[in-house]
Amino acid sequence: MTGPLDYLKETASQTAGPYVHIGLAPGAAGFDIYREELGWDIAGPDPKGQRIRVEGLVIDGMGSPVKDVLLEAWQANADGIYAHPEGGGAVEDGFRGWGRVITDFDTGEWGFDTVKPGPVRSRVKLASGVSERVSAADPDWQGRMESHAPMAPHINLWIVARGINLGLNTRMYFDDEAEANAADPVLNLIEWKQRRATLIARRDGDRDGVPVYRFDIRLQGDAETVFFDV
Amino acid sequence: MKPAEYYQRDRSRHPPALTPGYKTSVARSPRYSLIALQQSLSEITGPVFGHDDIDPIDNDLIQNYAKEADPVGERIIIHGRVLDENAQPVPDTLVEIWQANASGRYRHKKDTYLGALDPNFGGCGRTLSDESGYYVFRTIKPGAYPWRNTINSWRPAHIHLSVFGRSFSQRLITQLYFEGDPLIPLCPIVNTIPDPDAIDRLIARLDMNATVPLDSIAYRFDIVLRGRRSTLFENRLEGN
């Protein structure tokens, strides 16, 4: 007879419900309460790199836009550094790397302004750290080399809404980073190559000199977006 | 010892995506399996908040929208600790809540329930946990309200909670219920959770010790986020 391990258990998730905006974006719910709502300014006043706009829809299994969704974005700066103590270094003042957006209640369109993230840097040097440990005798060495490659530029997204019981995690990559995407260790985890395309935002012209990327998220059905268990 | 990835999420404690008793989930749940992702820097990092981001009054829902008087309803304190699965406190983490007023009415332009709005109640609050992971809010106990699931579906009294933790992989939204509420076992959203113990942990307990006599009654609600491995060995995070 063995006793139980004494770990606590993670609190169970529940849907954010239809009125998530009250708590997380009260201005959008129709009233002002806080000095400052959080999440409107992802990159801060003076970010390095290329400013971009990201736009899209979240589409349900019937093909209809979801009009009460809330998305959060988490991304590195243009140097591939996250604004976090373990993020790989220092970021520019005011760069938070986190944003929160809601959809237009009538159209379901969402969008945010940010900068294009850089590739997230490798913490293990490919030249020495990994190659010293692998050898031709290890049949999987090439795969392991790949798995230590830096990741292509991407924005991590988390999606909650009425009808979604546990927040959905996905990633947005960029269609003008084809070479980096082809080497990306996460995209290459997806066995079904045609599904990788669901994670790649399409450059959709410029607006006021700022590149616009289109990223529609399909919750279910044909071309369902890849979601991750992180 | 170096901290590494977060423990795998035990999805048997969480609701599955497709829960037909909660009708909206039917068209909003992925049909393909999730792709399991070993954690990289993208998942073990997450946004950091500080006291500059919020105001001290933000955790007092009795005062933070009061225009001319206090809001109407049962004055309550909600308090507890944010811990991880290793029972370690999660300090300085942002906890946000939102809720209906005592009538079960939300201050949201999409809520058309005939329960009356309270001119002195907004219904949202936020705070940072302290160094021991402790958090506290003061508010009005929310009322139950009807919703269009079956013809006669009523949500139990609940407060929505959002917690960040230290990493984007700990991000969690849930709902707090109140001890003794007879609507809890009837609720299709509660019943999306397959594990009775996991449901029980969403029920805040009456806490007479924290009650302020002649002022506010208190409920205790601890939040558990994913724990994190420590390792004596250099950890090779994917993509790193």
Side-chain angles (χ1 to χ4, degrees):
Chain A
M1 200 61 184
T2 52
L5 298 172
D6 58 356
Y7 294 110
L8 302 180
K9 291 288 194 178
E10 188 188 14
T11 300
S13 175
Q14 292 269 264
T15 179
Y19 306 125
V20 60
H21 322 93
I22 286 185
L24 306 187
F31 67 108
D32 291 322
I33 186 164
Y34 295 139
R35 166 172 51 90
E36 183 186 358
E37 288 190 17
L38 296 170
W40 297 107
D41 189 8
I42 300 177
D46 191 24
K48 300 176 184 175
Q50 169 71 58
R51 287 183 188 273
I52 61 169
R53 169 98 185 149
V54 178
E55 295 177 347
L57 285 172
V58 176
I59 298 163
D60 72 13
M62 311 285 188
S64 298
V66 179
K67 297 175 181 175
D68 50 13
V69 76
L70 180 134
L71 292 95
E72 289 186 355
W74 174 241
Q75 66 164 86
N77 75 356
D79 295 331
I81 298 169
Y82 283 103
H84 183 273
E86 296 171 71
V91 297
E92 55 271 41
D93 281 349
F95 181 91
R96 172 113 67 184
W98 171 78
R100 175 183 272 173
V101 296
I102 64 152
T103 52
D104 181 283
F105 290 143
D106 296 320
T107 65
E109 287 278 345
W110 54 267
F112 54 84
D113 298 303
T114 185
V115 292
K116 194 173 186 183
V120 173
R121 289 195 299 195
S122 171
R123 293 204 306 186
V124 177
K125 285 182 184 159
L126 277 172
S128 57
V130 173
S131 59
E132 279 170 15
R133 282 181 247 156
V134 299
S135 75
D138 176 355
D140 200 31
W141 70 272
Q142 207 153 13
R144 285 208 267 145
M145 287 285 281
E146 268 178 18
S147 79
H148 291 86
M151 293 182 284
H154 65 278
I155 298 177
N156 307 286
L157 294 172
W158 186 70
I159 302 156
V160 293
R162 177 171 68 105
I164 296 176
N165 288 325
L166 174 59
L168 293 167
N169 289 90
T170 190
R171 287 184 173 201
M172 188 197 103
Y173 290 83
F174 298 85
D175 72 346
D176 49 12
E177 298 282 347
E179 194 177 330
N181 291 343
D184 181 80
V186 171
L187 287 172
N188 281 302
L189 263 182
I190 304 167
E191 178 184 345
W192 305 274
K193 286 188 179 172
Q194 71 275 22
R195 297 202 69 202
R196 297 176 192 169
T198 67
L199 301 185
I200 297 175
R202 176 171 48 83
R203 173 98 180 241
D204 189 18
D206 288 24
R207 194 178 307 141
D208 304 325
V210 173
V212 177
Y213 291 89
R214 181 80 195 175
F215 189 61
D216 290 336
I217 295 165
R218 289 179 173 76
L219 296 177
Q220 183 191 104
D222 290 344
E224 179 177 303
T225 298
V226 169
F227 298 104
F228 294 105
D229 181 4
V230 301
Chain B
M1 293 224 297
K2 288 176 176 295
E5 298 101 324
Y6 288 81
Y7 299 145
Q8 179 178 333
R9 182 163 258 161
D10 178 357
R11 288 182 177 262
S12 72
R13 296 278 295 187
H14 291 283
L18 174 61
T19 48
Y22 174 27
K23 294 182 181 181
T24 314
S25 76
V26 174
R28 295 185 174 192
S29 46
R31 286 293 176 271
Y32 296 129
S33 303
L34 301 176
I35 305 284
L37 190 58
Q38 276 184 291
Q39 292 177 357
S40 69
L41 269 193
S42 294
E43 288 77 35
I44 67 162
T45 59
V48 176
F49 301 96
H51 289 280
D52 293 345
D53 291 316
I54 62 176
D55 287 327
I57 199 177
D58 288 353
N59 73 340
D60 186 351
L61 285 70
I62 289 179
Q63 289 192 352
N64 71 8
Y65 199 75
K67 305 296 182 195
E68 294 173 347
D70 282 354
V72 173
E74 189 176 339
R75 297 162 64 88
I76 62 170
I77 289 164
I78 300 289
H79 76 133
R81 293 177 76 199
V82 186
L83 304 168
D84 70 14
E85 289 170 306
N86 299 320
Q88 296 299 307
V90 182
D92 304 317
T93 196
L94 183 65
V95 182
E96 298 165 289
I97 65 170
W98 68 100
Q99 63 167 99
N101 67 19
S103 303
R105 175 76 181 270
Y106 284 96
R107 183 170 291 282
H108 190 294
K109 50 188 165 190
K110 293 287 182 184
D111 189 358
T112 56
Y113 177 43
L114 48 75
L117 275 175
D118 184 331
N120 295 304
F121 190 69
C124 62
R126 55 190 186 181
T127 192
L128 287 176
S129 61
D130 72 10
E131 66 279 1
S132 61
Y134 182 77
Y135 76 93
V136 59
F137 291 97
R138 189 168 74 151
T139 186
I140 296 294
K141 189 176 178 189
Y145 64 85
W147 57 300
R148 294 180 191 277
N149 191 57
T150 61
I151 286 174
N152 194 22
S153 293
W154 290 78
R155 295 300 326 280
H158 64 277
I159 296 176
H160 297 266
L161 276 111
S162 163
V163 195
F164 279 82
R166 292 194 193 87
S167 82
F168 212 49
S169 62
Q170 285 181 308
R171 191 79 182 83
L172 183 71
I173 280 181
T174 188
Q175 300 182 30
L176 167 164
Y177 304 100
F178 292 88
E179 184 174 8
D181 186 338
L183 287 169
I184 293 171
L186 304 181
C187 177
I189 290 178
V190 172
N191 289 325
T192 59
I193 299 172
D195 182 334
D197 178 66
I199 292 175
D200 188 56
R201 303 284 174 166
L202 296 186
I203 300 173
R205 299 309 199 260
L206 176 66
D207 184 355
M208 289 305 289
N209 287 345
T211 292
V212 180
L214 307 178
D215 183 330
S216 301
I217 203 163
Y219 287 87
R220 170 90 185 187
F221 188 75
D222 289 340
I223 301 162
V224 180
L225 302 180
R226 294 167 71 177
R228 192 175 193 187
R229 282 199 306 121
S230 292
T231 175
L232 293 163
F233 304 100
E234 185 62 43
N235 196 65
R236 300 199 299 180
L237 296 174
E238 185 188 323
N240 284 276

